[in-house]
Short mmCIF file of all heavy atoms in Angstrom, two decimals:
data_model
loop_
_atom_site.label_atom_id
_atom_site.label_comp_id
_atom_site.label_asym_id
_atom_site.label_seq_id
_atom_site.Cartn_x
_atom_site.Cartn_y
_atom_site.Cartn_z
N ALA C 30 35.63 29.07 -11.62
CA ALA C 30 34.86 28.19 -12.50
C ALA C 30 33.59 28.86 -13.03
O ALA C 30 33.21 28.67 -14.19
CB ALA C 30 34.51 26.90 -11.78
N LEU C 55 5.46 17.87 -33.44
CA LEU C 55 4.18 17.34 -32.95
C LEU C 55 3.04 18.29 -33.25
O LEU C 55 1.94 17.86 -33.57
CB LEU C 55 4.27 17.09 -31.44
CG LEU C 55 5.06 15.87 -31.01
CD1 LEU C 55 5.12 15.81 -29.48
CD2 LEU C 55 4.45 14.60 -31.56
N GLU C 62 -9.01 11.99 -34.66
CA GLU C 62 -9.90 11.85 -33.51
C GLU C 62 -10.48 10.45 -33.47
O GLU C 62 -10.81 9.88 -34.50
CB GLU C 62 -11.03 12.87 -33.59
CG GLU C 62 -10.59 14.30 -33.37
CD GLU C 62 -10.14 14.55 -31.95
OE1 GLU C 62 -10.75 14.00 -31.02
OE2 GLU C 62 -9.17 15.29 -31.78
N ALA C 63 -10.62 9.88 -32.28
CA ALA C 63 -11.22 8.55 -32.09
C ALA C 63 -12.48 8.71 -31.25
O ALA C 63 -12.57 9.63 -30.43
CB ALA C 63 -10.24 7.62 -31.40
N GLN C 65 -15.12 8.31 -28.28
CA GLN C 65 -14.86 8.21 -26.84
C GLN C 65 -14.90 6.77 -26.36
O GLN C 65 -14.11 6.37 -25.53
CB GLN C 65 -15.87 9.06 -26.06
CG GLN C 65 -15.61 9.08 -24.57
CD GLN C 65 -14.25 9.67 -24.21
OE1 GLN C 65 -13.72 10.51 -24.90
NE2 GLN C 65 -13.69 9.21 -23.11
N SER C 71 -14.38 1.14 -22.99
CA SER C 71 -15.68 0.51 -22.80
C SER C 71 -16.07 -0.38 -23.98
O SER C 71 -16.89 -1.27 -23.82
CB SER C 71 -16.76 1.58 -22.56
OG SER C 71 -16.88 2.40 -23.70
N LYS C 73 -15.13 -3.29 -25.80
CA LYS C 73 -14.19 -4.41 -25.66
C LYS C 73 -13.93 -5.11 -26.98
O LYS C 73 -13.09 -5.99 -27.05
CB LYS C 73 -14.73 -5.42 -24.66
CG LYS C 73 -14.93 -4.86 -23.29
CD LYS C 73 -13.64 -4.53 -22.65
CE LYS C 73 -13.86 -4.06 -21.23
NZ LYS C 73 -12.72 -3.49 -20.61
N SER C 74 -14.64 -4.76 -28.04
CA SER C 74 -14.41 -5.42 -29.32
C SER C 74 -13.23 -4.82 -30.07
O SER C 74 -12.84 -5.34 -31.10
CB SER C 74 -15.66 -5.33 -30.20
OG SER C 74 -15.90 -4.00 -30.58
N THR C 79 -4.06 -0.58 -30.18
CA THR C 79 -4.28 0.16 -31.42
C THR C 79 -5.70 0.67 -31.56
O THR C 79 -5.96 1.53 -32.39
CB THR C 79 -3.97 -0.73 -32.64
OG1 THR C 79 -4.84 -1.88 -32.60
CG2 THR C 79 -2.53 -1.18 -32.62
N THR C 81 -8.17 -0.70 -32.86
CA THR C 81 -8.75 -1.07 -34.15
C THR C 81 -9.67 -2.26 -33.95
O THR C 81 -9.68 -2.89 -32.90
CB THR C 81 -7.63 -1.45 -35.14
OG1 THR C 81 -6.84 -2.50 -34.57
CG2 THR C 81 -6.74 -0.26 -35.46
N HIS C 90 -10.40 -11.91 -23.89
CA HIS C 90 -10.36 -12.79 -22.74
C HIS C 90 -11.75 -13.08 -22.17
O HIS C 90 -11.88 -13.39 -21.00
CB HIS C 90 -9.45 -12.21 -21.66
CG HIS C 90 -8.06 -12.01 -22.14
ND1 HIS C 90 -7.20 -13.05 -22.38
CD2 HIS C 90 -7.38 -10.89 -22.47
CE1 HIS C 90 -6.06 -12.59 -22.81
NE2 HIS C 90 -6.14 -11.28 -22.89
N LEU C 95 -19.96 -17.74 -17.45
CA LEU C 95 -21.16 -17.32 -16.72
C LEU C 95 -22.41 -18.00 -17.26
O LEU C 95 -23.30 -18.38 -16.49
CB LEU C 95 -21.31 -15.80 -16.78
CG LEU C 95 -20.26 -15.01 -16.00
CD1 LEU C 95 -20.45 -13.52 -16.25
CD2 LEU C 95 -20.35 -15.33 -14.54
N GLU C 99 -24.77 -20.67 -15.02
CA GLU C 99 -26.21 -20.42 -14.86
C GLU C 99 -27.04 -21.66 -15.17
O GLU C 99 -28.15 -21.79 -14.68
CB GLU C 99 -26.65 -19.25 -15.75
CG GLU C 99 -26.16 -17.89 -15.31
CD GLU C 99 -26.76 -17.46 -13.98
OE1 GLU C 99 -27.95 -17.76 -13.75
OE2 GLU C 99 -26.04 -16.84 -13.20
N PRO C 103 -29.41 -25.12 -8.60
CA PRO C 103 -28.94 -24.87 -7.23
C PRO C 103 -28.77 -26.18 -6.47
O PRO C 103 -29.53 -27.13 -6.63
CB PRO C 103 -30.05 -24.02 -6.62
CG PRO C 103 -30.78 -23.44 -7.77
CD PRO C 103 -30.66 -24.41 -8.89
N ILE C 104 -27.75 -26.23 -5.62
CA ILE C 104 -27.47 -27.40 -4.80
C ILE C 104 -28.24 -27.26 -3.50
O ILE C 104 -28.11 -26.24 -2.81
CB ILE C 104 -25.95 -27.51 -4.53
CG1 ILE C 104 -25.20 -27.61 -5.86
CG2 ILE C 104 -25.64 -28.68 -3.62
CD1 ILE C 104 -23.71 -27.39 -5.73
N GLU C 105 -29.03 -28.29 -3.18
CA GLU C 105 -29.83 -28.24 -1.96
C GLU C 105 -28.99 -28.72 -0.78
O GLU C 105 -28.28 -29.71 -0.87
CB GLU C 105 -31.07 -29.11 -2.11
CG GLU C 105 -32.07 -28.55 -3.10
CD GLU C 105 -33.35 -29.36 -3.15
OE1 GLU C 105 -33.37 -30.50 -2.64
OE2 GLU C 105 -34.33 -28.86 -3.70
N GLY C 108 -29.88 -27.67 6.65
CA GLY C 108 -29.37 -26.71 7.62
C GLY C 108 -29.33 -25.31 7.03
O GLY C 108 -29.81 -25.04 5.92
N ALA C 111 -24.12 -23.55 3.99
CA ALA C 111 -23.50 -24.36 2.94
C ALA C 111 -22.00 -24.06 2.95
O ALA C 111 -21.58 -22.94 3.24
CB ALA C 111 -24.09 -24.02 1.58
N VAL C 112 -21.19 -25.06 2.64
CA VAL C 112 -19.75 -24.89 2.58
C VAL C 112 -19.32 -25.21 1.15
O VAL C 112 -19.60 -26.28 0.63
CB VAL C 112 -19.02 -25.81 3.57
CG1 VAL C 112 -17.52 -25.60 3.46
CG2 VAL C 112 -19.49 -25.55 4.98
N GLY C 134 -36.08 -19.44 0.35
CA GLY C 134 -35.96 -20.34 -0.79
C GLY C 134 -35.19 -19.78 -1.96
O GLY C 134 -35.07 -20.43 -2.99
N PRO C 136 -31.89 -18.94 -4.04
CA PRO C 136 -30.52 -19.47 -4.05
C PRO C 136 -29.49 -18.37 -3.78
O PRO C 136 -29.69 -17.20 -4.11
CB PRO C 136 -30.37 -20.03 -5.47
CG PRO C 136 -31.47 -19.47 -6.26
CD PRO C 136 -32.54 -19.01 -5.33
N GLY C 143 -19.41 -19.24 -8.29
CA GLY C 143 -20.73 -18.97 -8.83
C GLY C 143 -21.75 -20.08 -8.63
O GLY C 143 -22.91 -19.92 -9.03
N LYS C 149 -32.91 -26.88 1.69
CA LYS C 149 -33.98 -27.84 1.40
C LYS C 149 -35.23 -27.39 2.13
O LYS C 149 -35.17 -26.78 3.21
CB LYS C 149 -33.61 -29.24 1.89
CG LYS C 149 -32.73 -30.00 0.95
CD LYS C 149 -32.56 -31.42 1.45
CE LYS C 149 -31.64 -32.19 0.54
NZ LYS C 149 -31.43 -33.56 1.03
N GLY C 152 -35.64 -27.93 6.00
CA GLY C 152 -34.32 -28.36 6.43
C GLY C 152 -33.71 -27.52 7.50
O GLY C 152 -32.57 -27.10 7.42
#
Side-chain angles (χ1 to χ4, degrees):
L55 285 177
E62 290 292 323
Q65 184 61 30
S71 63
K73 300 292 184 191
S74 67
T79 60
T81 56
H90 301 288
L95 291 175
E99 289 294 323
I104 301 166
E105 291 185 345
V112 180
K149 279 187 182 178

